[in-house]
Amino acid sequence: MPPAPYFAFGTHPEHGFVATTANVPTHLAHWYLVREQFVPVLATPGLYRLTNPDQDGMRRTRQAVHDLRRHGYAVQADYSLDPALTPGPPHNPIAVHEHAERRSRIARAAAGRSPQRGPALTTSPPSARPIPARPTYAPTVHLTATATGRSR
């Protein structure tokens, strides 16, 4: 007979992706579920809802199920939320391609010269650059002794 589940994950019509706790101390369940981005539902003790379920909620809930099982807890989950029973949601290959294209554009921009900097500096041969002439005089330094013999 399988062990009684410590956590159960499912969907709720009002709260979206939810987790309930049983057979686990309240403070321990709270500690784990908050780190998995679940918050307590104040009206129902032992019920936690996923924060921002519209932002990849299914994947995050499946990850929570996986993490808690990896820590040794018995977890019950709806069929679609159980990573052991169903494959993960397919990733969007178009989005992956767009991401790779964006990184490629950023890399090309970083390798090139900024149009805000003006034209690239060129190194011209030494004969093309004017070299200042040497001064024809030698600088003269006059040192005068002070009457007190002390320097400042």
Side-chain angles (χ1 to χ4, degrees):
M1 177 170 247
Y6 292 108
F7 298 95
F9 288 85
T11 57
H12 189 275
E14 183 181 343
H15 301 297
F17 297 102
V18 295
T20 59
T21 60
N23 304 326
V24 65
T26 306
H27 69 282
L28 191 60
H30 180 80
W31 191 87
Y32 273 110
L33 290 173
V34 165
R35 275 144 189 81
E36 294 290 345
Q37 299 177 357
F38 282 81
V39 293
V41 176
L42 299 178
T44 310
L47 181 67
Y48 290 78
R49 68 175 179 80
L50 182 66
T51 60
N52 302 321
D54 297 333
Q55 295 177 353
D56 206 12
M58 180 174 281
R59 185 201 58 79
R60 291 169 44 218
T61 305
R62 290 170 59 91
Q63 184 65 45
V65 170
H66 173 74
D67 292 344
L68 289 169
R69 284 182 178 160
R70 194 178 64 213
H71 284 292
Y73 290 101
V75 179
Q76 178 185 356
D78 287 352
Y79 183 77
S80 63
L81 300 175
D82 195 339
L85 298 177
T86 58
H91 63 279
N92 188 353
I94 294 171
V96 172
H97 175 69
E98 289 172 356
H99 184 64
E101 177 62 29
R102 180 175 181 271
R103 286 191 315 205
S104 175
R105 285 194 319 267
I106 291 171
R108 284 193 309 264
R113 184 144 180 91
S114 171
Q116 296 175 347
R117 296 278 183 174
L121 298 176
T122 59
T123 57
S124 56
S127 62
R129 283 188 269 161
I131 298 176
R134 286 189 157 215
T136 56
Y137 65 92
T140 307
V141 178
H142 297 283
L143 298 175
T144 57
T146 59
T148 59
R150 293 183 55 161
S151 65
R152 286 182 159 195

